[in-house]
Amino acid sequence: MRTTSFRALLLSATALLATGCDSLFFIEAEAEEICKAEPDVAFPAAFPGTTSVQQTLTFPLGDFSDPIPEEADVETELRLKVFEVTANTDLSGIERASVSVRRPGTEDTLLIGEYRRTSAAATQTLRLSGSGAVDLLDLARQEELDFVFEARGSLPTQEWRATLRTCAGIRAKASYFDLVF
């Protein structure tokens, strides 16, 4: 009886593999939304001729990648849901802004969100929209990511403070097919 059930299992597994069902051997982890707010971030006064300012925000992933083995083939993506800058001064002189993810140990970045001014009306809030899902490659194995905010245009000439608020979703899918067979 035991030999018959083992043969049936072996034949079933062989049939699945022959049909290309490697997708049966995977694990998927997803955090629909992780948020962080950084209140009271100081920005320097812009000297004449200064056209850009940059600020880094550490974004926590925690133990998101714990269930994913190091040897597995992993697909990851990050989707920016919200990146908002709320300042104590008028930001209507900022023409463009962006937020990117910095690769650990390098200055290389991946763009994840942008802002373009559409009105000359006074505003104290910039809301950057996501540029779609970004493949993080090995970045999802980090416990935290650096988000780099950069603003360009006519910057405030006095020191200013802002709250940076961001929310993002992250997904990882690891294939075990090569580990099992």
Side-chain angles (χ1 to χ4, degrees):
M1 185 81 163
R2 184 177 268 175
T3 307
T4 306
S5 61
F6 177 73
R7 281 186 193 161
L9 178 64
L10 184 60
L11 288 172
S12 298
T14 304
L16 286 172
L17 291 174
T19 60
C21 288
D22 61 333
S23 63
L24 291 176
F25 302 99
F26 71 90
I27 185 170
E28 190 167 12
E30 183 171 3
E32 192 163 313
E33 192 168 82
I34 301 171
C35 296
K36 180 178 182 181
E38 189 78 31
D40 207 32
V41 176
F43 287 84
F47 294 111
T50 303
T51 59
S52 72
V53 66
Q54 196 175 80
Q55 191 66 251
T56 301
L57 170 73
T58 302
F59 189 75
L61 294 179
D63 57 0
F64 176 78
S65 67
D66 280 356
I68 301 171
E70 290 292 324
E71 308 83 29
D73 181 27
V74 180
E75 298 172 17
T76 59
E77 69 179 34
L78 178 129
R79 184 176 303 277
L80 182 69
K81 303 223 176 182
V82 172
F83 194 94
E84 194 171 78
V85 179
T86 305
N88 64 351
T89 191
D90 181 25
L91 299 177
S92 61
I94 295 177
E95 297 170 18
R96 294 182 328 212
S98 65
V99 63
S100 303
V101 176
R102 181 181 298 138
R103 294 186 182 281
T106 71
E107 291 302 312
D108 295 341
T109 60
L110 294 168
L111 180 70
I112 60 172
E114 294 182 284
Y115 164 85
R116 293 198 187 272
R117 182 177 65 184
T118 57
S119 166
T123 185
Q124 290 182 292
T125 302
L126 302 179
R127 188 175 184 89
L128 286 73
S129 57
S131 56
V134 175
D135 183 3
L136 292 179
L137 301 172
D138 59 341
L139 295 181
R141 296 191 192 276
Q142 306 295 317
E143 288 189 19
E144 59 188 26
L145 298 174
D146 284 342
F147 281 12
V148 180
F149 167 71
E150 183 175 10
R152 296 184 167 277
S154 297
L155 304 172
T157 55
Q158 74 280 357
E159 182 178 310
W160 52 288
R161 298 196 163 290
T163 296
L164 304 180
R165 186 173 85 79
T166 188
C167 293
I170 188 167
R171 184 187 71 79
K173 181 177 178 181
S175 171
Y176 283 93
F177 184 75
D178 292 336
L179 298 177
V180 174
F181 295 98

